[in-house]
Amino acid sequence: MPHVTEPHGLPDGSNFFSSVRGGAGAEAVRDAYARAGWSVRACGRAEWEAASPFAELVVEGADPVLVHGAVADIVRNAERAVAPLSEAGIPFHAECYGADGALLAELRWTPG
């Protein structure tokens, strides 16, 4: 079971899982987080870490592009974690889980 760590209250395991389909590549997703003010850095050949004061996410893959990681206070911050995607017009499906593994929230957005 994940426990909360200091200093940002991030769980020590992933509680946020999102997929992006339909043509937006990992670079477009990475750029969306960077434009939204997140700190973005490479963490592999084709993977990036996007960090904010409330989340540390990994962006990787291709169709689907996966965005996953740790989000502090997931119920309150889930929409903030996907905001860079919707603001960039990138459709997504995201799931948020509690420390016990229970699904707490499911978010979807498609332009329209």
Side-chain angles (χ1 to χ4, degrees), residues 5-111:
T5 60
E6 294 299 327
H8 302 294
L10 294 175
D12 63 0
S14 294
N15 60 352
F16 175 86
F17 302 88
S18 180
S19 62
V20 172
R21 296 184 186 271
E27 294 84 3
V29 173
R30 173 202 64 200
D31 293 348
Y33 281 94
R35 279 192 306 275
W38 290 53
S39 172
V40 176
R41 68 176 186 87
C43 64
R45 290 185 63 196
E47 298 91 29
W48 296 272
E49 179 184 75
S52 75
F54 65 90
E56 292 178 354
L57 304 177
V58 173
V59 177
E60 63 184 334
D63 207 16
V65 174
L66 303 177
V67 181
H68 56 90
V71 178
D73 195 357
I74 189 70
V75 173
R76 184 170 41 155
N77 289 318
E79 292 203 19
R80 292 173 67 194
V82 295
L85 301 175
S86 58
E87 289 169 2
I90 299 172
F92 65 84
H93 172 239
E95 296 178 348
C96 307
Y97 293 89
D100 62 357
L103 179 65
L104 299 177
E106 194 168 359
L107 305 160
R108 295 177 191 268
W109 186 83
T110 54

